Amino acid sequence: MPPSHELTEETPLHSNIRKEGTEPIGIIDTARRASLDIPRYLPSSENCVGSKGQRPFSPIFKVFILVSGIFVVVVALFHAAKALHRHPSNEPSHIGPYKLVQSQQGESFFDFYEFYNGADSLGSAGYNSYEGPKSRAEKLGLANVTFDDSTRESFAFLKSAPTKEGPRQSVRLEGKQRFNNGLFILDVRHMPVGCGVWPAFWLTDEDVWPDNGEIDIVEGVNFQTSAKTALHTSKDCSMYAHVPDFVKTGTWDRATCIPNTWTGELNCETSKEADDCWAMAAHQWANQGCVGVDTRNGTIGKPLNQKGGGVYVLEWDPANYHIRSWVFTHDTNLPQNLLAVTTPTAPNEDKVTPDPDKWGLPYAYFSIGDGSGCTDDHFKNMRLIFNTAFCGTVAGNRYFGDCPAEITNKYNVNNDAVLSCNAYVKSDAPELEEAYWKIRGVYIYQRS
């Protein structure tokens, strides 16, 4: 994990290393990607073009230049077509329309999950304990389903509570079903937010991590306000030069201020896009992964809650060679067929067919499968997880950089970011009451 020091807003996160029973991965060195020494064809001096009597380029050289240019254009168009999932005429553009396979809402919401019981993983090292089974979590007031008479909607609540010992009681839901593809839609009206708060809605196979991958659909840290989607994988999964800008609206997260392996000194003069999904990728934060960032403010955290929540969509579609992410806030117009999915009174709800191609460009796009830099077998056998952690390796290390001065000045333990964050959480400050999920539903579709 990063050393405990004050981080700036530009400092990238390294994501949650959640596999139980493993030690946290260390910091990667700070050297930049070596410059490629690309040989170029240079004509001899006697063949150079000149304006005062030198001989012009030979016909053979002109043909060489022309063929080289055509080759470069063809290669560029091929990769762009791949990113837009255009296939040869003998291959279908997609395999069937989406069909609803799970509708997680109302009184049956918790039937789709197991309640994990125990401490947070070593990789995350959150200052909390997860309470299970379901009956215990409900008895402690950490989980319930409530019907709102005014809106005629049911909401699943996931909360947290203080303890005398310090670590906060929380909930971690682990999905009962495994997936190898799908369209995952989360309608959330309030998500946990605040100093030291670290909520996530994600897909993983933690028993075979990182070999089977991890996709963070929603992950908030402290007071962040822009949504991100992060992929964490085994080796040989890179987005570099495989995702053109015109297929998405967002940007890549960046890796900067990484400590030198030998000296420990921060190098904030170099910066690269976080487009390598490998958990141990060089020149990125440990387990930073490849991270797509929404450029709009207010798509996660406190401003999202003030807008009445939002709808997050993750399309994991190996048949079309991509993983894509969207987020729509409830104060904007949701695409009509997506609105029908999340509206409880919509007629024939089970017959609604979401069509992501009608929603506009996603903010995050990841190219997978043949012709990309990441084979689709990096992602398999994953299940959904909801959890809320406190402090730990990410929210804790960002404590001094993210939290307001009135908090960090009051709760400062030897200038140690994690210990100071723990002290704040132990105090049970009133602001920690905002650390809860209010979920309208989760809707999962798969192609027929």
Side-chain angles (χ1 to χ4, degrees):
M1 67 182 72
S4 298
H5 63 278
E6 185 169 347
L7 304 179
T8 66
E9 185 62 27
E10 288 73 25
T11 304
L13 303 180
H14 67 282
S15 297
N16 186 353
I17 307 174
R18 299 182 177 85
K19 176 169 171 51
E20 278 78 0
T22 60
E23 292 297 326
I25 297 175
I27 294 298
I28 309 301
D29 69 272
T30 189
R32 297 190 66 180
R33 177 183 287 125
S35 300
L36 297 177
D37 185 14
I38 304 174
R40 292 175 292 176
Y41 179 86
L42 294 176
S44 63
S45 59
E46 65 179 7
N47 285 329
C48 290
V49 175
S51 60
K52 296 184 179 179
Q54 291 97 333
R55 291 201 303 252
F57 287 135
S58 69
I60 294 177
F61 181 69
K62 292 180 179 179
V63 171
F64 174 80
I65 294 296
L66 178 62
V67 172
S68 298
I70 293 173
F71 175 78
V72 170
V73 171
V74 169
V75 170
L77 290 175
F78 172 78
H79 283 292
K82 268 293 187 184
L84 288 173
H85 54 266
R86 296 170 185 159
H87 304 281
S89 57
N90 63 343
E91 188 176 340
S93 60
H94 55 83
I95 303 176
Y98 279 114
K99 299 293 184 182
L100 182 67
V101 296
Q102 283 190 10
S103 179
Q104 305 175 7
Q105 60 180 2
E107 293 296 331
S108 65
F109 179 84
F110 293 119
D111 295 344
F112 295 91
Y113 298 92
E114 300 285 356
F115 282 70
Y116 173 76
N117 184 70
D120 199 15
S121 65
L122 291 175
S124 303
Y127 191 62
N128 57 273
S129 62
Y130 296 116
E131 305 300 331
K134 176 186 174 184
S135 57
R136 172 172 169 77
E138 290 178 329
K139 185 177 180 179
L140 292 172
L142 301 177
N144 67 78
V145 174
T146 300
F147 183 76
D148 189 329
D149 289 324
S150 62
T151 63
R152 310 301 297 172
E153 296 174 304
S154 292
F155 298 101
F157 286 86
L158 306 177
K159 303 178 182 179
S160 66
T163 64
K164 293 181 180 180
E165 295 77 15
R168 202 165 177 88
Q169 293 176 326
S170 187
V171 174
R172 172 176 166 134
L173 302 183
E174 299 181 339
K176 295 179 180 180
Q177 183 171 335
R178 300 282 178 166
F179 298 94
N180 290 295
N181 60 78
L183 186 71
F184 302 86
I185 302 172
L186 167 65
D187 184 355
V188 60
R189 305 302 171 86
H190 184 284
M191 65 176 294
V193 66
C195 183
V197 182
W198 182 10
F201 174 60
W202 46 298
L203 283 158
T204 194
D205 181 359
E206 64 275 19
D207 292 332
V208 195
W209 188 96
D211 291 351
N212 286 358
E214 174 185 334
I215 304 175
D216 298 326
I217 305 171
V218 182
E219 184 171 21
V221 178
N222 298 328
F223 294 103
Q224 288 184 345
T225 58
S226 294
K228 298 181 179 182
T229 299
L231 275 53
H232 308 275
T233 69
S234 56
K235 195 175 181 180
D236 297 325
C237 180
S238 175
M239 300 297 121
Y240 180 72
H242 289 283
V243 181
D245 288 340
F246 60 79
V247 299
K248 58 185 176 65
T249 63
T251 61
W252 294 110
D253 198 6
R254 301 198 69 84
T256 188
C257 287
I258 298 178
N260 183 283
T261 299
W262 312 111
T263 67
E265 294 181 1
L266 297 182
N267 181 351
C268 296
E269 296 181 359
T270 61
S271 175
K272 73 171 290 288
E273 293 180 334
D275 54 10
D276 193 328
C277 310
W278 182 30
M280 291 291 290
H283 321 308
Q284 294 185 185
W285 285 100
N287 196 34
Q288 184 175 6
C290 50
V291 188
V293 182
D294 192 345
T295 56
R296 298 169 297 170
N297 192 31
T299 52
I300 200 171
K302 185 176 180 179
L304 179 87
N305 294 339
Q306 293 172 337
K307 297 174 183 179
V311 176
Y312 294 88
V313 184
L314 186 284
E315 183 183 38
W316 172 17
D317 191 0
N320 282 306
Y321 304 106
H322 60 233
I323 295 172
R324 304 189 290 181
S325 286
W326 293 260
V327 56
F328 305 94
T329 57
H330 274 296
D331 67 335
T332 60
N333 293 324
L334 270 67
Q336 188 58 41
N337 72 342
L338 181 58
L339 180 63
V341 170
T342 59
T343 301
T345 57
N348 301 319
E349 184 180 45
D350 59 340
K351 296 182 181 179
V352 172
T353 302
D355 186 356
D357 290 332
K358 295 181 179 179
W359 301 346
L361 292 178
Y363 79 82
Y365 187 110
F366 307 89
S367 182
I368 61 173
D370 296 341
S372 76
C374 181
T375 55
D376 57 20
D377 60 359
H378 282 85
F379 307 94
K380 56 190 174 185
N381 196 45
M382 296 197 289
R383 62 179 176 179
L384 285 171
I385 295 177
F386 277 101
N387 75 289
T388 305
F390 292 86
C391 299
T393 55
V394 175
N397 273 302
R398 294 186 61 100
Y399 173 77
F400 286 120
D402 289 353
C403 298
E406 57 265 28
I407 292 178
T408 57
N409 290 337
K410 183 176 182 180
Y411 301 97
N412 185 334
V413 181
N414 300 323
N415 291 322
D416 185 297
V418 174
L419 293 180
S420 301
C421 183
N422 293 350
Y424 170 72
V425 169
K426 185 176 181 179
S427 75
D428 189 28
E431 292 81 3
L432 290 171
E433 294 180 2
E434 288 296 306
Y436 71 91
W437 293 92
K438 180 182 179 181
I439 302 162
R440 174 66 190 95
V442 174
Y443 311 93
I444 303 172
Y445 289 77
Q446 290 183 314
R447 296 194 184 279
S448 56

